[in-house]
Amino acid sequence: MEPELRNEEDWNNDCHQPKEVLDGIKNKLVDSQTAAEMAEIFKALGDPTRIRLIYALIERELCVHDLCVLLDMGQSAVSHQLRYLRNLRIVKRRKVGKTVFYSLDDTHVEQIFLQTHQHITHQ
């Protein structure tokens, strides 16, 4: 037996929230600029190489050379990814002489990453 088709008016009456509720939610929505910045962060986290870089930097501050060894990648490729992550304030750098060390920008980045990892591995 097929489900009874309902007209749009009935459907709308069943599902809509009061205007005050929708207004309250609308007032809490992030603005377009914030949404765009958040999307850029998620875009950055959408690359497996960058994920591996971040994972390494969760463990400790590392120089570019050590990251190249860990990821089995060339210095140019690693530097390119680090520059991208630095522009989004996901990682920061510290220079000692000619050596540049990278670490996560703050604990928020680590929390986002670890929560995402926990979500994926949760059964």
Side-chain angles (χ1 to χ4, degrees), residues 55-73:
Y55 195 87
L57 295 174
I58 283 175
E59 294 299 314
R60 68 179 315 135
E61 178 183 66
L62 294 164
C63 68
V64 174
H65 175 267
D66 291 340
L67 288 165
C68 291
V69 170
L70 286 170
L71 276 67
D72 194 27
M73 293 175 60

Side-chain angles (χ1 to χ4, degrees), residues 58-119:
I58 283 175
E59 294 299 314
R60 68 179 315 135
E61 178 183 66
L62 294 164
C63 68
V64 174
H65 175 267
D66 291 340
L67 288 165
C68 291
V69 170
L70 286 170
L71 276 67
D72 194 27
M73 293 175 60
Q75 187 265 331
S76 177
V78 169
S79 292
H80 173 75
Q81 297 299 337
L82 289 168
R83 185 171 36 260
Y84 182 81
L85 293 172
R86 201 175 89 237
N87 288 339
L88 291 172
R89 294 185 8 231
I90 293 173
V91 300
K92 62 184 176 184
R93 69 182 187 165
R94 178 177 68 89
K95 198 167 186 177
V96 178
K98 292 183 179 185
T99 305
V100 180
F101 292 92
Y102 286 87
S103 61
L104 297 183
D105 190 74
D106 60 31
T107 59
H108 297 114
V109 174
E110 181 177 355
Q111 291 168 7
I112 291 166
F113 185 83
L114 293 176
Q115 292 260 336
T116 304
H117 186 259
Q118 184 179 16
H119 175 71

Side-chain angles (χ1 to χ4, degrees), residues 8-85:
E8 189 174 327
E9 186 176 303
D10 288 340
W11 181 78
N12 285 338
N13 287 333
D14 288 344
C15 77
H16 70 80
Q17 295 291 318
K19 183 180 181 331
E20 300 79 30
V21 171
L22 295 178
D23 287 345
I25 294 169
K26 189 173 186 176
N27 289 334
K28 292 179 183 178
L29 290 177
V30 297
D31 60 72
S32 296
Q33 178 64 35
T34 302
E37 290 175 19
M38 289 176 72
E40 279 297 314
I41 296 292
F42 286 114
K43 178 180 168 187
L45 298 177
D47 180 87
T49 299
R50 291 190 285 264
I51 292 295
R52 295 179 72 216
L53 279 168
I54 292 167
Y55 195 87
L57 295 174
I58 283 175
E59 294 299 314
R60 68 179 315 135
E61 178 183 66
L62 294 164
C63 68
V64 174
H65 175 267
D66 291 340
L67 288 165
C68 291
V69 170
L70 286 170
L71 276 67
D72 194 27
M73 293 175 60
Q75 187 265 331
S76 177
V78 169
S79 292
H80 173 75
Q81 297 299 337
L82 289 168
R83 185 171 36 260
Y84 182 81
L85 293 172

